[in-house]
Amino acid sequence: MTALNLAATGTTSLGEAVQFWVLAVVAVGGALGMVLMRKAVHSALCLAATMLALAVCYMAQGAVFLGVVQIVVYTGAIMMLFLFVVMLVGVTSEDSLKEQLKGQRFAAVLCGLGFGVLLIAGIADARLNHFTGLSEANAEGNVPGLARLIFTRYVWAFEVTGALLITAAIGAMVLTHREHVKAPKTQRELAAQRVKDNIQLPPLPAPGVYARHNAVDIPALLPDGTIAEDSVMETLRERGQIRDVSQEMLRRMAELENTTADWLGRPSSERPTVAGPRKSLEPVPAQQPDAQTDVPKADQEGAE
Amino acid sequence: MNPVNYLYLSALLFTIGAAGVLIRRNAIVLFMCVELMLNASNLALVTFSRLHGTLDGQIIAFFTMVVAAAEVVVGLAIIVSIFRTRHSASVDDSNLMKL
Amino acid sequence: MNSLIPLLVAAPLAGAALLLLGGRALDRFGHWLATALAALSFGFGLALFSDMLGREAEHRAITKHLFSWIPVNGFQADISFRLDQLSMTFVLLITGVGTLIHLYSVGYMAHDERRRRFFAYLNLFLAAMLLLVVADNYLLLYFGWEGVGLASYLLIGFWQHKPSAATAAKKAFIVNRVGDMGLSIAIMLMFVEFGSFSFEPILGSAGTVGGAAQASEGKLTAIGLMLLLAACGKSAQVPLQSWLGDAMEGPTPVSALIHAATMVTAGVYLITRSSAIFDLAPDAQTAVVVVGAVTLLFGAIVGCAKDDIKKALAGSTMSQIGYMVLAAGLGPIGYAFAIMHLVTHGFFKAGLFLGAGSVMHGMNDEVDMRHYGGLRKHMPVTFVTFGLGYLAIIGFPGLSGFFSKDKIIEAAFAKGGTEGWILGLCALVGAAVTAFYMTRVMLLTFFGEKRWQPDADGNAPHPHESPKTMTIPMVLLAFGSVFAGGLFAYNGSFLTWLEPVTGHSEGDSPLAPLVVTLLTTACMLAGVAVSYLMYGRSAVPVVPPVGSPLTRAARRDLLQDDFNHAVLVRPGSALTAALVYFDSRGLDGFVNGLAATIGGISGRLRRVQNGFVRSYALSMFGGTLVLVATTLLMRSV
């Protein structure tokens, strides 16, 4: 609150200076990160950081109400909206690094630099040394002061922004509304279509659940030991997040059998042969010899 | 410290946002850059408010936020509907205005 | 009595409308209906004439206002008629000769399946011509003027299945358009100058002074020259004479009525009617006499060389109208004689044409005089009437032509000075040449040995006298040819009759009237003698000899068509081609080039609009940059 009071009086304390430099670095870093990050999600998070830093800046300058609004509305609502849309559109959608417009990037950087230099030069040229401060204006508190202005002098603008918000809400609904031109297909029609297409008649196979992994990303095994790709959902397949654990599973089954046999002291003839995967399962993993090893390997697994 | 530093920060952020609008192609990121520019101007407004000792700057910043919220709602709706029809969020793909 | 004037026009007009709209139901008696209506019109004319004679000379002109035609503020055109002595003369001539020729046509066109239509056109012509001469203002006159042009076109091209007839009709119409343009310009000039079209405000009348008296001479000259152009077109005067010879493609009664007796004299009527303008514009008058004198000799020379009997007569017509125009150009000395010659010429030339038609009728429509010969025994009535017409036209003493032509020659000398001598000598030479070519026609047709041969189908002609319907008009016209001149000249009766309208003054002739008469007669006799020596003494070759260059040129109408082609058609085509070239290359080239330039620039500018949002954003940002920089610079300066 010291910083706030100081801000209200129009002078700056050392504390505010330190706070400013920290926040400025965060804000600029967030801004640059937003522009430079390739994934939209990362950009959104960087922007959120910048906004939070700005919110603190607002408060430091005596705009307590705006700081809170910045956090609640911007960082809370708007950024969530952004993230929501990013999810809707596709988290993985990245910008390719290759610029398609000739000279656009160069010109953009040039213009940006020129503009920044101009703005900063303009501000420096203004020689703003005297600060009135907000102690007088905020005498009865920042929120009552703002409220007095909003509901007296700016009441007309306030009403108009209200109308604007309603219009925007309706506009968003109209824009995203999809008219159904034809009736959606019934289950019966979909089934008939599937028979007609004759690509995958029965239901897709369930993923191979081995109780030790996040089950959905592990494909089921076909009788011959190969994996059934259809058993993993399409999204994961496309992302390459499919985990082929067939070799490992077979080996572990054999190890379990062997441990039991050791305990019972069975002759080797009664033990199951730990067969390697069929030749067709190429490429053969490099750990093929490990399949014959027994206990020490199991320890390693346990350490995993 | 001279509070005018806030103005420098504001100018810097604004420029970064503007350059981002020109460089990025993802429509969502483009929108974020626009938001950054609005925020930068808000910071400047708040600083001006302090500079003049009146609350009007803050009021304007407040209205800017409201308008930005409305803009984001409509803009994101547009992006969603474009994505639905063209399966792309890149602004370069929407060049139907080209002769 | 005034209300009879519209009926003059209405009777033949009703006939034309009935015959054209009535259809085949009128085929059987339509020609008699048309003839009866023409005769009715003549009856009206006679009634009006007797009424007019009953009044004092100063009060003979009567007018009849029918209705307001185009009543616009400041622009008043009326359907109103004016019948004075001049109009009366024309009315009697038109209806009288017209009725006779209707009667003649009944026989001549007996075998034509489109006879009803022919009579409808004849009636239409009568109506238009009567409208022309009884009109009270120039606009209505122009209406009639165009009406006779239309009727002339329809009748020349009546046998439209013949390409030559169709072409001749078009030629007549187009050449007439040139003259019509002159008349329309003259009318516009008059309206601008006098604010009216009516005769009385412009020309004045007995006791009043018209606007022409106050107008400047330059304007009057311009109006006069335009009127002369109109007269040249309608009356086949040089330089618009080329259509008349080809107009003989029409049926012979048409040639007799329209292209000899009446329509072609409309130009003379126009000049005489506008005498108040010409009298005050000496330059225009000079132009008129020059045109008259040149045409007089031109037509006579052409008439000498033609073997086609109708074309020889057409040349003669041109020449005789030249006499009239010459007389009309002499001013008050000659107006009355121009009209007098016009009337007598109407009789004898119509008679001659009807005679020619009668000959053709008996000779299987053969027109080449070299294939005639010795026809006097086969068609005695035609021979006698044609012979009387012939004597009249060459000015044989005592017949019509003698009185009227003699007066014109006398008036030409009376013009005075060098001018008078030149004009008088021209007229004398014309008289001699007239006697020469008319004697040639007479000798080739009715005297000598028979020269006709079977035509291509092997049908030898059987020359025979024409039926009564044809001979009766010829006889009547022959009476006119013989006695009209003497009647008019007796005690100067015609002069007295017309004087209130045209005025009259005696010129100071360098030669005594008797001397002129003797000279004229001598010239005439010389022409006859030369012709007799050339064609009467020796046998006429069936195939025309090559002849001198003048003869060859005269056979081609003194190269008038070649002249028109070289001077008007070819430069016109070249001008058109040049304009087309200029239009397609120059104007279109400029416009297309401009469009291509703009298109090219746009095509290059278009690339700026690449459709990428970020590009547009960049240009916006650049613009903002410039604006901010400018603002800062302006503030710091």
Side-chain angles (χ1 to χ4, degrees), chain B residues 22-24 92 95 98-99, chain C residues 606 610-612 614 618:
Chain B
L22 300 183
I23 291 171
R24 296 305 297 262
D92 283 1
N95 58 353
K98 186 174 183 182
L99 287 170
Chain C
R606 191 186 69 160
N610 55 12
F612 288 110
R614 294 188 300 130
L618 178 63

Side-chain angles (χ1 to χ4, degrees), chain C residues 457-477:
Chain C
D457 301 335
N459 300 327
H462 304 288
H464 56 278
E465 191 51 87
S466 298
K468 283 279 192 300
T469 50
M470 288 168 69
T471 50
I472 288 172
M474 284 154 63
V475 170
L476 289 174
L477 286 170

Side-chain angles (χ1 to χ4, degrees), chain A:
Chain A
M1 280 318 279
T2 339
L4 274 178
N5 289 335
L6 283 173
T9 55
T11 56
T12 51
S13 64
L14 179 68
E16 196 189 339
V18 171
Q19 183 201 16
F20 172 79
W21 289 115
V22 172
L23 289 177
V25 169
V26 171
V28 172
L32 285 174
M34 181 200 70
V35 173
L36 299 177
M37 290 285 183
R38 283 178 62 193
K39 288 197 174 183
V41 184
H42 298 166
S43 290
L45 292 176
C46 288
L47 182 61
T50 306
M51 285 178 173
L52 283 173
L54 288 182
V56 180
C57 282
Y58 292 170
M59 290 183 194
Q61 299 210 71
V64 186
F65 178 69
L66 275 188
V68 174
V69 170
Q70 170 88 356
I71 290 172
V72 172
V73 174
Y74 255 122
T75 325
I78 295 183
M79 286 322 296
M80 286 314 108
L81 201 56
F82 266 110
L83 285 173
F84 199 76
V85 173
V86 167
M87 293 299 170
L88 203 64
V89 168
V91 190
T92 55
S93 63
E94 294 175 13
D95 276 2
S96 71
L97 287 173
K98 195 155 182 335
E99 175 65 54
Q100 282 167 343
L101 293 177
K102 206 170 128 190
Q104 170 85 9
R105 193 168 285 178
F106 175 73
V109 171
L110 197 72
C111 279
L113 281 178
F115 195 72
V117 167
L118 270 181
L119 276 187
I120 289 167
I123 295 166
D125 190 47
R127 281 190 291 276
L128 303 162
N129 291 322
H130 177 70
F131 266 65
T132 312
L134 285 169
S135 53
E136 210 171 306
N138 274 348
E140 51 175 341
N142 182 243
V143 177
L146 281 178
R148 191 179 297 282
L149 276 177
I150 285 176
F151 293 110
T152 54
R153 193 189 297 169
Y154 295 102
V155 70
W156 174 239
F158 185 72
E159 297 290 342
V160 171
T161 44
L164 175 72
L165 279 175
I166 290 174
T167 315
I170 293 173
M173 284 197 288
V174 169
L175 279 171
T176 50
H177 178 67
R178 232 186 318 194
E179 198 77 44
H180 285 288
V181 243
K182 52 185 179 183
K185 286 190 174 174
T186 61
Q187 286 286 325
R188 189 184 184 80
E189 284 166 345
L190 286 173
Q193 184 65 39
R194 202 157 65 174
V195 173
K196 207 169 159 190
D197 294 344
N198 198 21
I199 294 168
Q200 175 71 34
L201 266 183
L204 292 170
V209 179
Y210 299 111
R212 295 192 56 174
H213 293 277
N214 183 11
V216 285
D217 62 346
I218 295 176
L221 296 183
L222 293 173
D224 59 356
T226 56
I227 57 168
E229 294 219 356
D230 283 355
S231 59
V232 177
M233 64 187 287
E234 202 179 343
T235 314
L236 294 178
R237 267 208 313 264
E238 293 223 337
R239 289 186 191 167
Q241 293 176 338
I242 184 167
R243 298 199 343 173
D244 182 3
V245 293
S246 51
Q247 306 297 318
E248 203 182 346
M249 277 299 123
L250 289 172
R251 202 175 67 238
R252 279 197 200 157
M253 293 290 280
E255 277 166 9
L256 271 175
E257 289 286 326
N258 280 334
T259 315
T260 316
D262 285 345
W263 182 262
L264 296 174
R266 279 183 187 159
S268 63
S269 61
E270 292 186 7
R271 296 185 182 203
T273 49
V274 180
R278 284 163 47 140
K279 285 276 194 280
S280 65
L281 262 181
E282 293 301 334
V284 179
Q287 307 103 313
Q288 182 86 17
D290 295 350
Q292 262 74 26
T293 59
D294 33 26
V295 187
K297 202 71 195 161
D299 288 344
Q300 280 179 357
E301 288 290 325
E304 190 178 296

Side-chain angles (χ1 to χ4, degrees), chain C residues 100-129:
Chain C
L100 291 179
I101 287 174
H102 270 75
L103 189 62
Y104 177 89
S105 303
V106 171
Y108 190 84
M109 301 296 283
H111 307 300
D112 196 300
E113 58 184 14
R114 293 165 71 232
R115 181 175 58 181
R116 175 175 56 82
R117 192 176 292 269
F118 178 81
F119 276 89
Y121 293 159
L122 274 189
N123 264 5
L124 178 67
F125 166 76
L126 277 191
M129 189 73 200

Side-chain angles (χ1 to χ4, degrees), chain C residues 44-64:
Chain C
F44 290 144
L46 283 178
L48 285 162
F49 180 56
S50 67
D51 177 63
M52 185 177 279
L53 284 178
R55 288 196 298 273
E56 287 297 311
E58 287 75 30
H59 300 105
R60 279 179 173 166
I62 53 174
T63 57
K64 168 72 181 170

